Amino acid sequence: MSWLLENWFGSSESLEDVKDEIQNHLHRESYIGISGIENPEQSATRIPAKELSLMLVGPWGQNLDDAESELMQLIHDEMPSVVRDEFGILPFFTNVLKEGYLVLSFIRNASNREMLLNKLPLALVTMDGTIVATKTFDMLQFGPVADMSSRPCEFMFRWSEFNFIPEEEVPLSLVFLPRQKKGQRSAEQLQQASSLTADEQEKYEQLAMTEHPVKDGQVKLRVLEIMPGEEGGLKIIVLFSNGLDKRLEFTEVPIHVRDRQGNEVASMHYGMKNLRVDAMSTRIWAFYVPVESLKTTEFAPEDLTASIPEAKPEKELLDDEPKGLIQ
C-alpha cells in the first residue's frame, strides 16, 4: 500500500478492509461560507458527492497505483452530499503521530467557480466545542481547486501548537474558523445540518414549475413546505423567484412561524452572503430552525404557517464574475 494511504488507514489493512470501513471514518464537514448563508452547515440545498470530480494531483496523482486510485474514487463517492455553491472541508480520517495530530480530509468545491485559497484558519475542537488547537494553513502552494471538484488534503497540527493536550480517548473534530463578530463563538459552526433528498429536490422543482411559475417583473419569496428538521427543529423550504432580466443577490431572509391559533412559534433572521438567483429563474433553499429557537414544541409541523416579509435583493449581478480568491 502506498505510504499516502498508510497514513490514512495503516499498513496492516488491506484495500478490501478499507472499503468496509468507509462510513466509520466520516467526520462532519465544515464550510467556509460562500453559498449565501452565515451557517452553511444548516443548508439543506445539497448535491451528491458523485457529482464532483475527484482530482488526484501532486503526490496523490504520482504515487497511487490503479487499485489505490480506484479505492480513493470509491471513498469519494461514498461521502455525504455537499452543500450546493459551497466550499467544504470534510475530515475523513485522523492519525496520532509522534510529531502531531494529522487530519486527512477532502476539500470540496461545489460551486461553479474555480477557487484559490490563500490562508485557511482551522481548529481542532472537542465535542462540546472546546478549542484545543488553532492553525492557519498557507494554501496558495496547494493551487486552485477547480469548480465542482474534490481533492484529498492533509492538515498537520504539531503538538507544540496545541493549547493543551486532551486525553487520548477524547475525539477531536476539524472546523473552519471564520472571522468572528464580537461575542460570537466558533462552536456555533458545529451545528448539525439537515438535507434535501434527491426526491425532495425534484418534488419542489416540479411544484415551482407547475404552481409558481416566474412572473415577469416580479421578485418573490414563498414558503413551499414546513417539515420536521434535525433533533426536533424545523426545516422550511423557500422558493426564490426572480422575474427580472438580471441576476439578483439576496442578503437576508426573515421568516416568522406561527401555529394554527396565530401564536408565534419562531422568529428567525437568516443573514445571507451571496445567495444568487439567475434572471427569469427560481431557486429552492431550505432553512433550518434549531429546536432551541422554538418558543414551543407543542405543535404538528403541518399545522404551522410561515411568512416572509417582502424581500429585497441586495444588488443586481453581472453575468461575468472573477474567479474566487478566499483569504
Side-chain angles (χ1 to χ4, degrees), residues 257-277:
V257 183
R258 298 185 180 276
D259 62 18
R260 182 169 292 180
Q261 289 72 40
N263 301 314
E264 187 173 82
V265 174
S267 181
M268 305 295 293
H269 191 283
Y270 299 90
M272 316 296 285
K273 292 182 179 179
N274 61 344
L275 191 145
R276 300 165 180 177
V277 183

Side-chain angles (χ1 to χ4, degrees), residues 7-10 13 25 27 91-95 102-105:
N7 274 344
W8 287 53
F9 307 110
E13 295 191 67
H25 291 295
H27 291 223
F92 176 68
F93 193 81
T94 60
N95 200 351
L102 182 66
V103 184
L104 305 138
S105 308

Side-chain angles (χ1 to χ4, degrees), residues 14-25 71 74:
S14 69
L15 298 183
E16 289 301 321
D17 292 332
V18 170
K19 291 180 182 180
D20 294 334
E21 296 181 6
I22 290 175
Q23 297 302 321
N24 296 332
H25 291 295
L71 170 66
L74 184 149

Side-chain angles (χ1 to χ4, degrees), residues 222-243:
R222 54 169 50 88
V223 175
L224 297 181
E225 189 172 1
I226 302 174
M227 63 180 67
E230 298 287 343
E231 301 178 353
L234 294 172
K235 187 161 63 173
I236 302 176
I237 312 301
V238 176
L239 174 66
F240 291 74
S241 297
N242 175 17

Side-chain angles (χ1 to χ4, degrees), residues 83-120:
V83 173
R84 188 182 298 275
D85 297 331
E86 255 302 343
F87 193 103
I89 301 100
L90 178 59
F92 176 68
F93 193 81
T94 60
N95 200 351
V96 178
L97 304 176
K98 181 179 180 180
E99 58 268 36
Y101 195 87
L102 182 66
V103 184
L104 305 138
S105 308
F106 286 103
I107 59 173
R108 308 199 293 179
N109 181 10
S111 76
N112 59 4
R113 295 181 293 166
E114 180 181 81
M115 303 302 298
L116 177 63
L117 298 179
N118 184 3
K119 303 293 184 180
L120 184 62

Side-chain angles (χ1 to χ4, degrees), residues 62-321:
Q62 300 168 0
N63 299 322
L64 299 186
D65 60 28
D66 290 343
E68 292 169 336
S69 296
E70 181 181 352
L71 170 66
M72 290 298 296
Q73 185 69 59
L74 184 149
I75 293 171
H76 170 267
D77 291 346
E78 290 295 317
M79 296 293 102
S81 57
V82 59
V83 173
R84 188 182 298 275
D85 297 331
E86 255 302 343
F87 193 103
I89 301 100
L90 178 59
F92 176 68
F93 193 81
T94 60
N95 200 351
V96 178
L97 304 176
K98 181 179 180 180
E99 58 268 36
Y101 195 87
L102 182 66
V103 184
L104 305 138
S105 308
F106 286 103
I107 59 173
R108 308 199 293 179
N109 181 10
S111 76
N112 59 4
R113 295 181 293 166
E114 180 181 81
M115 303 302 298
L116 177 63
L117 298 179
N118 184 3
K119 303 293 184 180
L120 184 62
L122 299 174
L124 291 175
V125 300
T126 62
M127 295 301 292
D128 64 1
T130 301
I131 297 176
V132 302
T134 60
K135 184 174 181 178
T136 298
F137 292 86
D138 182 3
M139 300 296 290
L140 284 178
Q141 59 185 350
F142 190 75
V145 182
D147 59 291
M148 296 298 291
S149 73
S150 175
R151 291 172 61 178
C153 186
E154 299 183 355
F155 299 104
M156 169 68 81
F157 291 80
R158 300 191 178 279
W159 298 121
S160 59
E161 297 167 334
F162 276 61
N163 300 330
F164 65 93
I165 306 298
E167 297 294 331
E168 184 175 353
E169 65 273 10
V170 174
L172 300 178
S173 296
L174 184 75
V175 298
F176 170 66
L177 288 180
R179 295 177 182 176
Q180 298 293 313
K181 297 178 181 178
K182 187 176 181 180
Q184 187 179 14
R185 294 177 59 209
S186 298
E188 293 173 358
Q189 302 299 319
L190 302 180
Q191 191 167 27
Q192 180 69 38
S194 55
S195 62
L196 281 178
T197 65
D199 289 342
E200 288 174 331
Q201 185 73 26
E202 181 179 356
K203 165 189 171 182
Y204 295 122
E205 289 176 354
Q206 184 66 28
L207 180 65
M209 183 183 305
T210 58
E211 297 189 20
H212 306 291
V214 177
K215 294 185 178 180
D216 189 25
Q218 291 188 8
V219 176
K220 190 172 181 63
L221 274 64
R222 54 169 50 88
V223 175
L224 297 181
E225 189 172 1
I226 302 174
M227 63 180 67
E230 298 287 343
E231 301 178 353
L234 294 172
K235 187 161 63 173
I236 302 176
I237 312 301
V238 176
L239 174 66
F240 291 74
S241 297
N242 175 17
L244 304 182
D245 59 359
K246 295 288 186 180
R247 295 176 66 194
L248 297 179
E249 178 176 329
F250 294 83
T251 59
E252 57 183 23
V253 177
I255 301 179
H256 305 293
V257 183
R258 298 185 180 276
D259 62 18
R260 182 169 292 180
Q261 289 72 40
N263 301 314
E264 187 173 82
V265 174
S267 181
M268 305 295 293
H269 191 283
Y270 299 90
M272 316 296 285
K273 292 182 179 179
N274 61 344
L275 191 145
R276 300 165 180 177
V277 183
D278 290 335
M280 298 302 297
S281 69
T282 61
R283 186 167 183 181
I284 298 167
W285 201 270
F287 294 91
Y288 177 58
V289 182
V291 65
E292 59 267 22
S293 296
L294 299 174
K295 296 184 178 181
T296 178
T297 56
E298 300 297 323
F299 58 79
E302 60 268 21
D303 293 333
L304 299 178
T305 59
S307 60
I308 303 175
E310 184 178 355
K312 294 182 179 180
E314 173 67 13
K315 62 181 179 179
E316 298 178 352
L317 296 174
L318 300 176
D319 291 334
D320 295 328
E321 294 179 337

